Amino acid sequence: MTSTQPMIQGSVAPGFERVRDAFVENLTRQDEAGASFCAYVDGVEVAHLWGGEARPGVPWTEDTIACGASVATGVTALVAQRLADQGKLDVDAPVAAYWPEFASQGKGGITVRMVLSHKAGLPWFPDPELRVRLDRPETLLDVEVIARLIEAAPPVWEPGTQCGYHSTTYGWIVGEIVRRITGKSLGTYLRDEIAGPLGAEYWIGLPEAEHPRAAWLIPDPITDTDQFYKFINADSAPGKAMFLSPGRRFGDLIREAMNDPTFWRAELASRNGVGTARGVARLYALLASGGELAGTRLVSADSMARHTEVHYDGNDCIWGNPVRIGLGYMRPSASLAMGPHDEAFGHPGFGGAIGFADPVSRVGFGFLPNRMILALTTDARAEALATALYACLKTTA
């Protein structure tokens, strides 16, 4: 699709014009389809831009929302952080302290900390038939069945001994812990306790009334190639973690599942968060400002260090890329840039989306594209926006 500058809408604060230039460049030279971007600095919005197409023939507007895939994992980490801050969740307690049935099959020693740092050893279910059943959007709605399957599953490795990104099960396990503690689903708690009070448009479990606003994801062409299929298939570790059925390619998963309204409705809290870039940036602006934004405090400043402390620094045993992981939040690593400061934290989404907080420069950053570019390194579009943003910060300081 051919993009032109008039397709770009939104605004930037004086001194942040280079951010707009980078966004325009993404939508033209990078052959983007559609995207939105938002950044806060010290609690003030300095850029909010959108453009391109949300769906074929449908322009991306200020109200367009998009699925950021695993950006949801960082938002789920914020839910856990708030519950811990309230004294309702002890991250060093066994999961079974909140969910007794979880202890079966040798899982009694798995702690909440292990779950949040992707060391629980439950990235998939060993029974391949269960992975097949959970590869369709409609099965994701039955949270009771999924909880029973998790209870019956033995660990894939000895809990605590390895770190591998639990791309699917992380959301299910944390979601059930939240439900056991609060009596609410994770998505409901997020809306009532965090996103709603903060005025952030972001959902895990998208209400049907919001479906017409949602952009359609466009798979990276690489996902239909034989080479990519060798990396992610039903028998490879990444494919098992994504619950792919035999013969199914990742591009099919995007077209048939991630653009399905049933998928948006489900509460898969590590893969299907939907919202605006402004919503994502606003959540991270809160964290970058010590847990308070515009007079709304949701977590304590002291909790930042506890939840962003690096619990693992090395190669992911499932995906193979270098990672640094806190309690649900990713930290900058050789494969993930989040601005120039090591203190930053947040989470990318497979395909290029990202949200992060930089407590040094007090930046909240949110980028949601719908053309997916798959790589195990920082998305070039997001990095270009971050580079422009921080260059502007130097000149406006």
Side-chain angles (χ1 to χ4, degrees):
M1 129 179 199
T2 301
S3 298
T4 59
Q5 185 162 342
M7 295 180 65
I8 310 302
Q9 298 184 66
S11 62
V12 296
F16 288 85
E17 291 80 9
R18 289 177 64 175
V19 176
R20 180 184 174 90
D21 293 341
F23 190 79
V24 170
E25 180 77 358
N26 280 346
L27 281 170
T28 53
R29 190 175 65 83
Q30 299 288 353
D31 194 30
E32 187 58 273
S36 58
F37 171 70
C38 186
Y40 281 73
V41 176
D42 204 18
V44 177
E45 186 177 278
V46 298
H48 184 211
L49 300 164
W50 60 92
E53 288 188 338
R55 304 181 184 187
V58 178
W60 197 297
T61 71
E62 183 176 7
D63 292 329
T64 297
I65 54 179
C67 178
S70 294
V71 169
T73 302
V75 178
T76 296
L78 174 55
V79 170
Q81 182 179 348
R82 178 162 169 78
L83 286 172
D85 227 19
Q86 293 175 321
K88 298 177 181 178
L89 174 65
D90 179 356
V91 298
D92 289 312
V95 173
Y98 306 101
W99 178 5
E101 301 89 341
F102 180 86
S104 66
Q105 297 292 325
K107 301 193 296 296
I110 296 176
T111 64
V112 175
R113 187 180 296 274
M114 290 179 190
V115 172
L116 293 174
S117 57
H118 300 277
K119 295 181 180 179
L122 288 168
W124 58 77
F125 303 151
D127 184 348
E129 288 303 313
L130 295 182
R131 297 199 298 273
V132 171
R133 285 171 54 191
L134 292 166
D135 187 29
R136 303 293 169 183
E138 57 273 13
T139 64
L140 301 178
L141 298 175
D142 200 333
V143 294
E144 292 290 345
V145 168
I146 291 171
R148 302 294 84 76
L149 294 175
I150 293 171
E151 292 165 4
V156 174
W157 64 72
E158 183 180 348
T161 62
Q162 295 187 73
C163 180
Y165 182 58
H166 290 46
S167 56
T168 304
T169 55
Y170 173 96
W172 287 334
I173 297 170
V174 179
E176 185 64 13
I177 293 171
V178 171
R179 189 175 73 86
R180 296 292 179 119
I181 292 172
T182 69
K184 299 179 179 181
S185 71
L186 188 147
T188 301
Y189 181 88
L190 171 66
R191 193 75 232 149
D192 291 349
E193 299 284 333
I194 298 175
L198 194 61
E201 287 201 305
Y202 192 88
W203 295 267
I204 293 174
L206 186 67
E208 190 170 349
E210 308 294 342
H211 289 185
R213 300 169 56 190
W216 289 349
L217 297 177
I218 301 170
D220 189 325
I222 196 176
T223 59
D224 292 318
T225 65
D226 291 340
Q227 180 181 6
F228 193 82
Y229 183 69
K230 290 178 182 178
F231 175 58
I232 299 185
N233 60 68
D235 297 317
S236 70
K240 287 190 284 188
M242 297 295 289
F243 282 69
L244 280 180
S245 296
R248 197 177 198 197
R249 294 177 184 260
F250 194 78
D252 294 331
L253 176 68
I254 296 167
R255 284 183 289 266
E256 298 169 10
M258 295 183 74
N259 286 333
D260 188 322
T262 303
F263 179 81
W264 303 334
R265 284 171 50 213
E267 292 195 15
L268 181 47
S270 48
R271 274 177 55 185
N272 79 335
V274 178
T276 62
R278 174 182 267 170
V280 173
R282 197 163 175 81
L283 291 167
Y284 280 109
L286 170 98
L287 294 170
S289 301
E292 181 177 359
L293 183 67
T296 299
R297 175 164 292 282
L298 296 179
V299 291
S300 69
D302 291 342
S303 70
M304 299 301 165
R306 295 193 299 272
H307 287 262
T308 62
E309 177 188 0
V310 176
H311 283 67
Y312 178 77
D313 185 347
N315 286 344
D316 185 289
C317 71
I318 295 173
W319 297 89
N321 59 309
V323 294
R324 296 169 73 226
I325 297 177
L327 293 183
Y329 299 114
M330 293 284 187
R331 294 285 301 277
S333 67
S335 63
L336 178 62
M338 289 185 271
H341 300 125
D342 184 64
E343 293 85 350
F345 59 94
H347 215 284
F350 211 31
I354 189 170
F356 71 81
D358 173 2
V360 176
S361 295
R362 296 171 70 86
V363 165
F365 187 103
F367 174 61
L368 294 177
N370 65 342
R371 184 183 298 283
M372 303 181 80
I373 298 177
L374 300 187
L376 295 179
T377 56
T378 307
D379 184 88
R381 298 163 296 179
E383 192 162 15
L385 289 164
T387 298
L389 176 68
Y390 281 92
C392 294
L393 285 176
K394 287 182 179 180
T395 60
T396 58

